[in-house]
Amino acid sequence: MTQGQQIHGSPETATETAWEIAVLDGGPADGVRMRVADRPSVVQVTYPCELDGPAGGAQVEALFVYRRDLRVKGEPLRYGVDLASP
């Protein structure tokens, strides 16, 4: 096993997951670095919102969507903010 890889499952069904470094471009999480597995096409970032009144246990979060830049083939992968989503 090389650095950045993990083995999942029992020894008979183990699968190897390669983790890659990715960077977020634009939006509120600009410059954030993270590790992703299997090159997801979309990642989402949430920030909690402060509530001014009773919420009955509800939580409110601001949601930001980042899409993978398919032109980038190696690390760090790049994800740009999608201002049209959601």
Side-chain angles (χ1 to χ4, degrees), residues 49-60:
C49 297
E50 291 187 27
L51 302 176
D52 288 336
Q59 298 176 346
V60 179

Side-chain angles (χ1 to χ4, degrees), residues 68-73:
R68 185 163 55 94
D69 183 341
L70 299 176
R71 299 170 296 181
V72 177
K73 303 299 182 193

